[in-house]
Amino acid sequence: MAPDTVSLRYFLVLAQELNFTRAAARIGIAQPALSARMRRLEAELGTSLLVRDTRSVVLTTAGAALAESAPPALAALDRAWDTARNAGAGELGTLRIGYSLSAGAETAPALVDKLIRSSPGLEVSAVPMATPDISPAVADGRIDAGITRGEQPGRGVRRFPLRHQRVGVQLAQHHPLAEHPEIEIADAAAYPLRLPDRTANPVIHDQLSALFRDSRPIPRFHTPAVSFDMSQRDLFDGLTLAPASEAAVTVAPAGITWRPLRGAPTMTIHLVLPRELSPLHRRIRTIAKTLAHELHWLPD
């Protein structure tokens, strides 16, 4: 049976001091207790480690061998304990995050960077996903966390607000409404409104279109023929406006700007975690809350 590590650590102090009085004082125990520990340690090993007399302490051959080999063994054991503690605290392992494309320009990179800096032992991977697929993937364990816009439906998950964003419209810089710092909802509704296909994110599609529900005349919604229209020609030509959160500011191409809609409710980006939170999930949650506070993503 291997000796207890406390006695082994006491022995190493004694091997350095070669004096029971000094070693006991350095450890912070009584000298008789240290002597009793050493006797037990020798009994466990079945050999003498020390030659004692009234004036000195000398290491035996076995004691010298133990004094040389024990420190790296104890260091390895300490690392094992630290590894176990860090894993138990959610600071080690692989973290898989799925995020919607709309969160990829700013929100997801900021959270990933914060996670890596806060937990160097975590291996973080982040992949863009279709928004309706994120919550089910978190629930069944294919990914550990998700970042989505809106109250996405899904069983077996918990959603935590990560960021509130203003809602506005993208429009051509030469559009007449671009002269205003804020745009009235009714004024925006007078133009065709460009919305992506509803299947990409039904929750946000419905939230954006609901802004104009009471506008008169009834607003006209324009859906591109493809789910991600690279040209956005109608928007560049000033023929349409595109309802969007303020995240659009960071990804707007040249010639396109963004203006908030006066009185529009904010849009919420959520952190999606499993219903049952592991230490890793709790750590993600803690770091996300810290980040949201630091960057003023949520009201205090």
Side-chain angles (χ1 to χ4, degrees):
M1 181 181 295
D4 70 90
T5 59
V6 174
S7 294
L8 188 54
R9 293 178 196 275
Y10 287 179
F11 166 76
L12 291 177
V13 175
L14 182 57
Q16 292 175 349
E17 297 292 344
L18 294 177
N19 182 284
F20 272 90
T21 301
R22 291 196 302 270
R26 181 173 157 188
I27 295 168
I29 63 174
Q31 183 176 327
L34 178 58
S35 297
R37 282 273 190 178
M38 293 305 98
R39 287 193 294 270
R40 286 201 302 270
L41 182 59
E42 290 176 321
E44 289 174 350
L45 290 173
T47 187
S48 295
L49 300 173
L50 306 161
V51 177
R52 311 164 177 83
D53 60 30
T54 58
R55 301 179 59 183
S56 64
V57 174
V58 179
L59 296 178
T60 65
T61 301
L66 184 60
E68 181 179 353
S69 61
L74 287 173
L77 182 60
D78 289 340
R79 288 193 298 272
W81 280 111
D82 289 341
T83 297
R85 291 190 186 98
N86 291 339
E91 298 175 4
L92 286 180
T94 300
L95 170 60
R96 302 155 299 172
I97 299 179
Y99 63 91
S100 59
L101 286 173
S102 57
E106 189 178 13
T107 305
L111 180 57
V112 168
D113 182 68
K114 185 71 172 179
L115 287 164
I116 292 173
R117 291 178 182 273
S118 301
S119 303
L122 277 180
E123 181 179 340
V124 183
S125 62
V127 293
M129 300 177 63
T131 301
D133 296 338
I134 293 177
S135 290
V138 172
D140 64 23
R142 282 176 288 149
I143 58 176
D144 301 294
I147 304 174
T148 64
R149 292 193 302 165
E151 290 282 353
Q152 300 298 326
R155 296 181 178 179
V157 298
R158 301 172 67 181
R159 286 178 288 272
F160 302 94
L162 178 61
R163 186 174 188 178
H164 292 320
Q165 293 185 321
R166 294 178 298 168
V167 173
V169 291
Q170 285 184 296
L171 67 169
Q173 290 181 342
H174 60 78
H175 195 286
L177 291 181
E179 299 176 359
H180 304 286
E182 285 188 322
I183 298 175
E184 298 289 345
I185 292 176
D187 292 339
Y191 295 87
L193 299 169
R194 190 181 207 272
L195 288 177
D197 187 77
R198 188 176 183 274
T199 57
N201 190 335
V203 171
I204 296 303
H205 182 284
D206 292 347
Q207 181 179 343
L208 292 175
S209 60
L211 292 173
F212 308 95
R213 182 181 297 129
D214 298 328
S215 299
R216 293 294 181 271
I218 297 175
R220 295 163 292 163
F221 293 106
H222 169 70
T223 300
V226 293
S227 60
F228 186 66
D229 180 5
M230 294 287 290
S231 70
Q232 298 181 306
R233 179 50 52 195
D234 53 297
L235 192 60
F236 279 97
D237 290 343
L239 302 178
T240 63
L241 308 181
S245 71
E246 60 186 307
V249 174
T250 63
V251 295
I256 299 296
T257 189
W258 179 88
R259 295 289 183 272
L261 289 171
R262 182 175 290 120
T266 59
M267 184 178 294
T268 302
I269 294 179
H270 289 89
L271 175 68
V272 183
L273 296 174
R275 175 65 59 183
E276 299 297 328
L277 300 182
S278 70
L280 175 62
H281 299 126
R282 287 193 290 271
R283 179 145 187 87
I284 299 169
R285 171 69 178 134
T286 298
I287 292 174
K289 287 178 66 175
T290 300
L291 179 67
H293 174 74
E294 291 176 349
L295 299 183
H296 307 289
W297 283 354
L298 295 172
D300 296 331

